[in-house]
Amino acid sequence: MKNLIKITFTIVFLIIYGTTFSQTWITTESSPNGARAKAETTMLNDGRIIVTGGAINTVATEITEIYDPIADTWTRVADLPAPVVYHASVCVSDSTILLFGGKIGEKTTANVWEYNINTDTWTQKEDMPIDIIKHSVTVLQNSTVLIGGGYSLPSNEESSWSFIYNPKTNTYSDNINLLTKRTGHSAVLLNDGNVMYLAGYNYVGGGAITDIEIFDTQAQSWSVQGEISTGRTGGQEVVKTQSGDIFVIGGFNGFASLNLDVIDKYNAETQTWTTIQNLPQATSGTNVALLENGEILVAGGRAGQLKKTSSLKDKNGRFLNPNDFNSKEMSYIKTVFSINTETGEQTTLNELSTERSHAEVFKLNDNRIIVLYGEGASYFDYGEIYGTATEPLTYNVTFHIFENDGTTPANEVSIQFNSETLQTNASGEITFSNVEIGNGLPFIATKNGFENYTGSVSVTSNDINIYVTLQPSTAIQKISKQFSIYPNPSNGIFTIENLQATVAAERSRSTRPCSVSITDITGKTIYTSTVNSKSTIINLKNQPAGIYFINISIENQIFTQQLIIQ
């Protein structure tokens, strides 16, 4: 719905392990910042979920918070630069999310903001070519982002634009025209790396769209490849299986004022669409996810046949938004069932405790399913957990320890981590096994003759390698303001200046060369060079965003300053 009528929000957590289910729903921790609607939620690579913008008590908000599903806690982080609704966001690295477009005040915006998790900062990036809302954003396999569809205000005209944003260069491709203008669509990253756009609507083309468009990432072009049986203007939920098959569940046709009971299946091998067993009742905005056993969970939704309100027409008699309806004509449901992706068979499961629809759904790194937000008879600031926990997933964490030059392995280093103390071998390595998922797990590395090194590890969904360089305890470490770095923070390209002044202060010889080395937050050396001039320009744009340390070395003297790459 384009109009903000009642602005609060629901937080609901549906957590399912495999195919074993408990008999009751358990209430989760509430957000301390209150309920909100129209927020954007994005899963970070470490399994936490970041929530941006939306509206609290009908007022657009800039509040940003992160939910940790392991600890069941909410943390407020740096606010957005401005209150925004109807935006879109994606996670593009371990430390970075990008937020595109949205509505600020009464206008759509072309703003792009980048959030750095390590530094807890927002940075304005290059604006999109157009201002837009209700668009889709898809991270491609090369870590660029495809943006397409949507519409702008006040024209309400759907967009035929699509373009690719490169986060590393902060640049956009030329416009790659969609073959059909659309908004309210779904975007799916296919197993071959291409992108499918399905469903959505436009007025010029006659309403609900049935054409399927495929974006070829190599050719950088769109083509129509088939047609879905039933057009949808929104409210459809889409699930892709590991084999690449796609299920489109329910939805509605706003031009016909109809909720739909249709389930369409795309066979990735034959590239054909079929309709399988219908939903128990016509439903839009149901909450769906792929379970670990390969079945699809379907929970809640909005049922019944809806009517548009006459007040939603413009001066020419055209409906301003075919997805806006009179709330008195709809009903929310709490039924839950699973769909067998091979046979289409549906199995009834225990109901939600509260009727709700249009939620955000995520599969956690430990294979649980979380459903966030939604709408119902009212909005909520709490969630619910459903299911029986399995044994926690564990991973291996391997430490690679080097001495001060960053290349010599450091043996017999004691590592305190995960309630154990182990020593590195002759290769400077040691592996901790059976480490459970967690964020910011602390460690300390100690060896006689070297400075202690402390740090932390976030264990998410894979085995992890940590690289640490120890510095001799006899080295003179100090923070120097004699040399300067600018810009700082930077995009990865920066200048170090007054190097000769630094050298002269130590040796009274302005022409004496110095060594520059840069380490990341784990102590790993990522850059070295010898400098004979007053200044030098360094390019680290191939490095991820985060905190780095620039070390200027003059024999036994080491001068250090911190650099932030955004």
Side-chain angles (χ1 to χ4, degrees):
M1 292 179 285
K2 295 181 184 176
N3 297 325
L4 295 179
I5 301 172
K6 185 174 183 181
I7 311 297
T8 49
F9 74 82
T10 304
I11 305 176
V12 182
F13 301 89
L14 171 59
I15 304 183
I16 299 174
Y17 302 80
T19 56
T20 303
F21 300 93
S22 68
Q23 299 302 310
T24 59
W25 289 86
I26 301 172
T27 301
T28 64
E29 186 68 28
S30 299
S31 167
N33 295 305
R36 74 173 90 184
K38 314 303 180 187
E40 180 72 6
T41 56
T42 306
M43 175 168 279
L44 306 176
N45 289 349
D46 63 13
R48 294 178 296 164
I49 298 168
I50 187 167
V51 185
T52 58
I56 298 176
N57 295 325
T58 74
V59 179
T61 182
E62 68 277 17
I63 289 177
T64 302
E65 54 189 343
I66 293 178
Y67 176 72
D68 185 336
I70 303 298
D72 189 24
T73 57
W74 293 87
T75 302
R76 182 167 176 175
V77 294
D79 288 348
L80 289 166
V84 63
V85 295
Y86 298 120
H87 48 297
S89 64
V90 289
C91 181
V92 292
S93 74
D94 288 343
S95 59
T96 307
I97 73 161
L98 291 168
L99 188 154
F100 296 89
K103 180 182 176 185
I104 299 177
E106 296 303 316
K107 296 181 179 180
T108 46
T109 179
N111 285 348
V112 177
W113 295 324
E114 179 185 83
Y115 177 70
N116 186 298
I117 300 163
N118 295 333
T119 61
D120 189 26
T121 54
W122 288 95
T123 303
Q124 178 86 42
K125 309 302 287 186
E126 186 71 21
D127 282 356
M128 294 186 293
I130 59 171
D131 58 278
I132 203 165
I133 60 175
K134 295 289 188 178
H135 47 298
S136 63
V137 293
T138 310
V139 180
L140 305 179
Q141 291 181 346
N142 64 357
S143 297
T144 59
V145 182
L146 174 67
I147 303 132
Y151 66 91
S152 300
L153 295 174
S155 68
N156 284 304
E157 182 176 354
E158 295 80 23
S159 172
S160 62
W161 278 70
S162 76
F163 43 87
I164 294 174
Y165 175 72
N166 188 325
K168 289 185 177 179
T169 60
N170 192 27
T171 57
Y172 297 89
S173 69
D174 292 334
N175 178 30
I176 310 166
N177 270 313
L178 289 166
L179 302 179
T180 302
K181 293 182 178 182
R182 68 178 76 206
T183 189
H185 59 287
S186 297
V188 184
L189 181 65
L190 304 177
N191 287 358
D192 62 6
N194 295 331
V195 179
M196 175 186 291
Y197 277 13
L198 60 89
Y201 67 89
N202 68 58
Y203 287 101
V204 176
I209 299 169
T210 57
D211 285 349
I212 303 296
E213 287 192 60
I214 302 293
F215 179 71
D216 187 317
T217 55
Q218 296 299 317
Q220 300 279 286
S221 63
W222 291 94
S223 62
V224 174
Q225 295 188 17
E227 190 176 40
I228 200 167
S229 68
T230 305
R232 296 157 166 93
T233 62
Q236 68 278 352
E237 296 299 325
V238 178
V239 177
K240 186 185 77 170
T241 67
Q242 290 186 346
S243 66
D245 292 347
I246 297 170
F247 290 77
V248 185
I249 301 170
F252 53 78
N253 184 331
F255 290 89
S257 301
L258 293 175
N259 267 333
L260 303 171
D261 61 3
V262 178
I263 303 175
D264 287 308
K265 177 182 178 180
Y266 174 76
N267 186 304
E269 184 176 355
T270 62
Q271 298 185 12
T272 56
W273 288 90
T274 57
T275 299
I276 64 174
Q277 180 178 343
N278 288 352
L279 293 169
Q281 56 184 317
T283 309
S284 61
T286 190
N287 314 305
V288 304
L290 188 67
L291 298 174
E292 187 65 11
N293 66 357
E295 294 187 350
I296 298 172
L297 173 81
V298 182
R302 184 175 62 180
Q305 300 307 338
L306 316 177
K307 289 184 178 180
K308 302 191 190 90
T309 58
S310 58
S311 61
L312 297 178
K313 293 181 180 179
D314 64 15
K315 62 182 180 180
N316 297 317
R318 190 182 79 163
F319 285 107
L320 295 178
N321 181 1
N323 299 339
D324 281 335
F325 299 95
N326 185 335
S327 61
K328 294 181 180 179
E329 301 295 331
M330 68 180 74
S331 62
Y332 297 96
I333 58 176
K334 56 182 179 179
T335 54
V336 179
F337 59 94
S338 63
I339 301 173
N340 185 301
T341 56
E342 296 297 326
T343 65
E345 180 182 357
Q346 299 174 10
T347 302
T348 300
L349 305 174
N350 292 314
E351 291 184 339
L352 294 162
S353 64
T354 306
E355 296 86 351
R356 65 194 77 236
S357 72
H358 293 82
E360 300 283 350
V361 184
F362 298 97
K363 186 174 185 178
L364 296 177
N365 291 338
D366 58 7
N367 293 318
R368 298 179 297 170
I369 305 297
I370 292 184
V371 180
L372 294 167
Y373 307 118
E375 58 186 57
S378 62
Y379 293 105
F380 307 92
D381 64 356
Y382 63 88
E384 300 175 64
I385 298 177
Y386 188 51
T388 302
T390 61
E391 290 295 321
L393 299 177
T394 61
Y395 298 96
N396 296 328
V397 176
T398 300
F399 289 86
H400 306 263
I401 311 298
F402 300 91
E403 296 185 356
N404 60 320
D405 61 358
T407 59
T408 303
N411 65 339
E412 297 182 351
V413 178
S414 293
I415 309 289
Q416 298 177 39
F417 175 67
N418 199 39
S419 301
E420 291 184 277
T421 300
L422 303 176
Q423 282 197 335
T424 57
N425 58 23
S427 300
E429 300 175 352
I430 188 63
T431 297
F432 289 77
S433 303
N434 301 317
V435 180
E436 295 183 11
I437 289 173
N439 301 306
L441 306 177
F443 71 86
I444 181 170
T446 60
K447 181 178 181 178
N448 289 337
F450 291 85
E451 300 287 347
N452 293 345
Y453 188 98
T454 59
S456 63
V457 181
S458 290
V459 180
T460 56
S461 60
N462 297 289
D463 293 340
I464 293 176
N465 292 283
I466 303 297
Y467 297 85
V468 171
T469 299
L470 300 181
Q471 299 292 336
S473 57
T474 56
I476 300 175
Q477 301 278 349
K478 59 186 177 181
I479 301 298
S480 171
K481 296 300 182 184
Q482 293 172 305
F483 72 91
S484 59
I485 308 166
Y486 68 90
N488 189 10
S490 82
N491 64 358
I493 299 177
F494 56 92
T495 300
I496 304 178
E497 205 164 64
N498 296 329
L499 288 172
Q500 286 193 352
T502 302
V503 174
E506 294 302 316
R507 289 291 182 270
S508 299
R509 293 177 59 189
S510 62
T511 59
R512 190 177 185 89
C514 61
S515 297
V516 178
S517 68
I518 301 176
T519 58
D520 63 18
I521 200 167
T522 70
K524 181 181 178 181
T525 300
I526 61 168
Y527 176 91
T528 59
S529 70
T530 299
V531 180
N532 293 281
S533 58
K534 292 182 180 181
S535 64
T536 183
I537 297 174
I538 297 176
N539 186 341
L540 295 182
K541 292 198 74 170
N542 62 332
Q543 296 296 324
I547 298 174
Y548 296 83
F549 298 95
I550 298 179
N551 309 294
I552 307 298
S553 176
I554 309 162
E555 294 183 356
N556 291 332
Q557 308 289 322
I558 300 175
F559 301 86
T560 302
Q561 285 196 45
Q562 179 177 289
L563 168 72
I564 297 175
I565 295 180
Q566 296 180 335

